[in-house]
Structure formats: C-alpha cells, structure tokens
C-alpha cells in the first residue's frame, strides 16, 4: 500500500517497514499485514522461514522500567499542509511537490533511487522552480521564519542542476544563510547557474503564457 509517512506518498509500504532507512539498529517496526493474515490461520510462512527468528506472533505488549543516565527528548515536527495555499496548486497540479516529497526523490534510498522525475515516474524536468517561505513569514499562516527553507532550497537547487541539468529558479523573499559555510554554499549555487528571483510568488499555473509553448 502507499506509504504516506516516510515516503511522502511517493512509494509503497512493504510488509516489513523501517521508521528510517538509516535507523540503528536496523529493526523492522511493522508486520501489520502479515499479522492480520496469521489471525485468519491461513499463513505463517514468514515466521517459519525467517533466518534470524525475528518474527514472533505470540509476543505481547509489555512495559519496561529502565535506569538511564541521560534522556534526549525528540519532539519531531508537523508538516505544513501546502494545500491550504490554493494559488500554489499543490494537490491540484501534478508536478508541484512539497519539500519532503522532493527530499525523498533526491534520496538514494527513496522510491526513485535518487532520480529526480515528474509524477509519471519517468520524465526528467527541464526547468525547476523552487518557492521559499511557503506557509511561513505570512500572517495568514505562520508569522515566523521556518529557519530551514533557504538552505534546503539551495540544496535542492544544487541537486536538481547536478542530476538533471535543468534550468533552476529560486523564488525567495530574503536569503538567510547565517551558519558556518552556509553563505559559501549559496555562492557555489550561484556559480552553478541557478537563477535567484526576489519576491513572493503570486500563483503557480500549468497554463502556457506564450502560444504554442508546452508546460510540463
């Protein structure tokens, strides 16, 4: 079935899933589909043939009390729903991607093996537009700066140019590169030929501006 969490809807979920491909130790976290089949009494082959005896359908939930020296609280985050900004067309225009979706496209362990392609899974983009500050620095959504999208957008611009040779455009309000070597990376992306256009994007459309021009 479609994995809407880790693969951001771009890939499928296997019977055995990992919260992250870089998780250590590499332990599967889910066997819901197999467990459902086993309850019907029709199949427990996976349990019999698993070479490491890692599957145990008799295992029950338990609470463990541990004594530790330090606690790290990882609070996580919640993604902004880009569908809320109707004029950007996410969810309506096929080739508008969120940053999380694009991150999975560029990842070697992602659903496309790191290949940057359009929604059809085959076509390579010839031009790429990257919009900064979607849902942030906007009194209608979030007043604050996300603090990550400038560097994330620069990384995407670099990867898109490197892997596809596409003409890349970055649409930004202000470029914020405050940490060590961040501005050097910005200069590198400039030298690679990425176009930087300052201003808030009004809308995204698949309608051609010029007669006979094909939009993809």
């Amino acid at each position: 079935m479609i994995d809407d969490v880790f693969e951001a809807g771009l890939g499928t979920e296997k019977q055995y899933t990992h919260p992250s491909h870089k998780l250590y130790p590499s332990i599967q976290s889910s066997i819901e589909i197999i467990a459902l089949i086993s309850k019907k009494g029709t199949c427990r082959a996976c349990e019999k043939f698993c070479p490491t005896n890692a599957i145990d359908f008799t295992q029950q939930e338990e609470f463990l009390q541990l004594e530790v020296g330090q606690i790290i609280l990882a609070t996580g985050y919640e993604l902004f729903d880009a569908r809320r900004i109707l004029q950007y067309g996410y969810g309506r225009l096929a080739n508008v991607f969120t940053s999380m979706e694009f991150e999975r496209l560029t990842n070697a362990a992602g659903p496309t093996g790191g290949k940057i392609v359009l929604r059809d899974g085959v076509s390579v983009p010839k031009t790429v537009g990257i919009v900064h500050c979607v849902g942030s620095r906007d009194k209608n959504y979030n007043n604050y700066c996300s603090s990550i999208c400038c560097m994330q957008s620069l990384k995407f611009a670099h990867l898109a140019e490197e892997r596809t040779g596409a003409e890349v455009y970055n649409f930004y309000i202000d470029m914020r590169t405050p940490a060590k070597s961040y501005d050097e990376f910005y200069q590198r992306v400039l030298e690679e030929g990425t176009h930087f256009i300052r201003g808030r994007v009004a809308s995204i459309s698949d309608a051609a501006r010029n007669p006979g021009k094909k939009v993809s």
Side-chain angles (χ1 to χ4, degrees), residues 7-213:
E7 296 292 5
L10 297 176
T12 56
E13 184 180 87
K14 299 178 181 179
Q15 287 91 342
Y16 296 89
T17 61
H18 291 74
S20 169
H21 288 289
K22 295 184 179 180
L23 180 70
Y24 182 83
S26 182
I27 299 175
Q28 287 81 9
S29 66
S30 173
I31 54 171
E32 286 90 351
I33 298 176
I34 295 177
L36 180 62
I37 295 175
S38 70
K39 289 178 181 178
K40 296 179 180 179
T42 57
C43 178
R44 295 184 69 161
C46 57
E47 184 180 26
K48 297 175 183 177
F49 292 103
C50 179
T52 58
N53 298 316
I55 300 174
D56 181 7
F57 288 116
T58 65
Q59 193 175 47
Q60 300 294 320
E61 181 181 1
E62 60 179 319
F63 292 93
L64 302 176
Q65 185 171 341
L66 304 174
E67 185 175 338
V68 299
Q70 188 172 18
I71 296 175
I72 299 175
L73 182 63
T75 57
Y77 61 92
E78 183 176 350
L79 292 174
F80 176 78
D81 185 3
R83 292 180 179 85
R84 294 173 59 189
I85 306 181
L86 300 179
Q87 62 268 31
Y88 285 176
Y90 178 70
R92 175 173 54 84
L93 302 176
N95 292 314
V96 176
F97 293 82
T98 63
S99 58
M100 182 60 74
E101 290 173 337
F102 199 79
E103 180 70 38
R104 295 308 299 151
L105 286 179
T106 61
N107 194 296
T112 62
K115 295 180 180 178
I116 300 175
V117 292
L118 302 182
R119 292 282 183 189
D120 61 10
V122 179
S123 304
V124 176
K126 295 181 180 179
T127 57
V128 176
I130 301 172
V131 182
H132 294 225
C133 301
V134 176
S136 62
R137 301 187 67 189
D138 188 331
K139 65 181 181 180
N140 296 311
Y141 304 102
N142 300 301
N143 280 323
Y144 54 83
C145 170
S146 72
S147 78
I148 67 165
C149 81
C150 278
M151 291 307 300
Q152 188 179 45
S153 297
L154 291 175
K155 179 183 77 170
F156 289 160
H158 167 71
L159 292 175
E161 193 280 330
E162 179 183 61
R163 298 186 187 181
T164 69
E167 197 83 6
V168 183
Y169 297 83
N170 264 32
F171 300 92
Y172 71 104
I173 300 175
D174 296 300
M175 188 59 64
R176 298 183 172 183
T177 56
K180 183 179 180 180
S181 299
Y182 280 16
D183 197 65
E184 287 86 344
F185 184 65
Y186 171 41
Q187 297 301 323
R188 174 183 175 181
V189 175
L190 278 170
E191 293 171 1
E192 290 174 347
T194 294
H195 306 286
F196 287 86
I197 301 176
R198 188 172 186 178
R200 187 181 293 276
V201 173
S203 65
I204 297 174
S205 172
D206 59 355
R209 296 294 183 184
N210 301 318
K213 184 178 180 180

